[in-house]
Structures are given as C-alpha cells and as structure tokens.
Amino acid sequence: MPSSEGAEVNVEVTVLLGAPGSGKGTQAKEACKEGNFIHLSTGDVLRAAIKKGSDLGQKAQTFMDAGNLVPDDLMIGLLEDTLKGYEKNSRILLDGFPRTDTQAEALEESSANVTQAIYFNVPEDLLVERITGRRVCGNCGAVFHTSFRPAEDDGKCDNCGGELNHRADDVEEVVRKRLEVYWKQTEPLIDFYKKRNKLKEVNANQPIKNVQAEFRKFFV
Ligand code: AMP
C-alpha cells in the first residue's frame, strides 16, 4: 500500500480488535473526546459514503446489508486514501480495519506505524443482545443501548438531542451473519498480532467505565 507520490504518512495506529458489539467503537469515541486521538471507523466511513450516494457507497451497500465484508481491494484503497489525509504523527484508533489477513498485511506494509492491537474480549453469547439493542445518534454518533445504556429521553440523544437510529445491519438475522463472518475471517487476526508481539487485551464484559480504565492503561 504505497503512500501518495512517495510522501511519508507516518501516523501512529492502534488497531481495535473485537467482534461487532464488543464496545470498541464506544471506547474509541470516549477516548477521542479529550482530543489526543482520531477515531477512524471504516464502518462509519462506509455509512457516510452510502448516505452521500457516492460510488464507493453504492458498491459497499449490498455487502453491508447482507452482513458480508466489503471486498479487500475497496477497503485497502479506502484506508490508504483516508490515511493520506492525516497530519504526520496523528494518533489513530483504527476501528473495523483490518478484518481479513490481506487487510492486516496491507496495513503492516503501509507507512502507518501499527504500535499495538487491543482486543476487546466479550463472551460470544452476549454479543447478539448487545448489538440488536444498540441505538446510534444520527447527528453526533453517540452510542446507546436499549437495556445497558438507555437514553434519558427515549429516542433522543443525551448529548445533542439528535434522533437515535437502529442500524439496518443491527437486526438479528444480519447480526448472526456478521458474527459468523467475524469468527471465520477476523478472529484469526488475534493470532496475527500476537505473533508480532503487538496484542493487548481488555475484558470488555464489564461496565463501560471499567472497560475504559483498562483500555486507557495502554496509552501512557
Ligand atoms: P462496522 O460498523 O465496523 O460494524 O461495519 C459495518 C459493515 O461495514 C461491516 O459489516 C462490513 O460490511 C463493512 N466493513 C467495515 N469495515 C470493513 C472492512 N475493514 N472490511 C470489509 N468490510 C468492512
């Protein structure tokens, strides 16, 4: 994955690993509030592209709606383009990429410096409930849950009053497919990073504040 016209990108990347619903996006958003990090969620980038009706969005939508992965060539190109837009030495929390071996290799070969991969460990049987109850603010992106983190005013975001949405791929049938894809294609990346001595682990099956405390220990 060469950088543009030989320019050094040199951003520092922490990869966030974990199944859909493991809470990595929530933690990344919290961490970014203090301004030292940039949260790059490839899922968010794709959803924005769909909303805009761009070529990328149109190509990605069918895969996403079915709970499948968007093809590697599209995703690697997308990451490459996005990384080029950051200032040197930016600290990126990379959420949702890599999801396959090919993507992980491409990231290692890029000019981004992957310093660590943090694995959010949650027992498999909790994931479906966590994802299907998820609600996301259409305005600021804050994440709520109908049981575990309900908004004070039902249907409205606590932060900005924006409308809370239920993602089309957060319905049970699609969630089961996404989890199947995760176990098959993405879970093996835990080993990929372990072999490179980059793997750290967080127990993500505890209250958000406790997960946050464990997560923060990896950034000193
Ligand atoms: P997420 O918001 O991370 O759960 O991603 C939502 C959907 O976007 C996934 O189910 C995939 O269809 C697609 N997607 C996001 N990131 C990637 C990626 N790195 N590789 C392939 N597909 C992706």
Side-chain angles (χ1 to χ4, degrees):
M1 193 161 67
S3 56
S4 71
E5 293 144 9
E8 282 282 296
V9 177
N10 259 325
V11 293
E12 188 187 300
V13 166
T14 292
V15 167
L16 306 182
L17 274 181
S22 58
K24 51 195 191 318
T26 300
Q27 292 301 332
K29 285 188 176 98
E30 287 294 326
C32 288
K33 282 183 186 162
E34 288 157 26
N36 297 326
F37 300 99
I38 294 168
H39 177 207
L40 172 54
S41 153
T42 47
D44 283 351
V45 175
L46 292 171
R47 281 182 288 278
I50 291 174
K51 212 166 163 186
K52 230 168 86 185
S54 72
D55 192 38
L56 169 72
Q58 284 173 24
K59 285 183 184 146
Q61 182 155 27
T62 337
F63 297 100
M64 293 171 75
D65 285 350
N68 286 316
L69 294 186
V70 175
D72 282 337
D73 56 338
L74 276 183
M75 292 312 300
I76 291 169
L78 169 67
L79 187 82
E80 182 184 347
D81 286 347
T82 311
L83 289 179
K84 275 186 215 161
Y86 295 127
E87 282 176 22
K88 198 169 153 73
N89 297 329
S90 297
R91 300 177 86 190
I92 315 290
L93 299 175
L94 187 53
D95 169 10
F97 190 106
R99 268 176 151 100
T100 65
D101 244 22
T102 307
Q103 292 180 15
E105 294 286 359
L107 183 61
E108 289 293 307
E109 283 163 23
S110 77
S111 53
N113 178 23
V114 180
T115 54
Q116 56 184 351
I118 301 178
Y119 169 48
F120 287 71
N121 192 350
V122 178
E124 185 177 353
D125 52 353
L126 299 182
L127 291 169
V128 173
E129 192 189 1
R130 274 196 173 200
I131 311 173
T132 53
R134 183 158 65 182
R135 300 292 181 270
V136 185
C137 175
N139 182 44
C140 74
V143 182
F144 296 84
H145 190 282
T146 47
S147 313
F148 308 134
R149 198 191 199 188
E152 278 169 23
D153 180 2
D154 197 29
K156 295 260 179 293
C157 176
D158 289 356
N159 301 336
C160 73
E163 191 182 333
L164 298 185
N165 300 320
H166 190 194
R167 269 170 53 177
D169 63 347
D170 278 351
V171 298
E172 184 162 348
E173 190 193 340
V174 184
V175 167
R176 292 201 182 274
K177 177 66 188 173
R178 287 166 64 201
L179 288 172
E180 188 189 314
V181 168
Y182 170 77
W183 296 117
K184 206 162 148 197
Q185 294 190 260
T186 309
E187 203 261 357
L189 297 183
I190 293 169
D191 233 38
F192 179 99
Y193 288 109
K194 200 183 275 173
K195 282 189 188 134
R196 286 164 179 75
N197 289 322
K198 291 182 180 178
L199 190 76
K200 319 265 172 75
E201 186 170 326
V202 163
N203 171 11
N205 182 24
Q206 46 178 346
I208 291 175
K209 287 274 172 229
N210 302 24
V211 178
Q212 196 173 351
E214 275 197 32
F215 179 60
R216 290 304 179 88
K217 281 196 295 199
F218 297 126
F219 303 92
V220 277

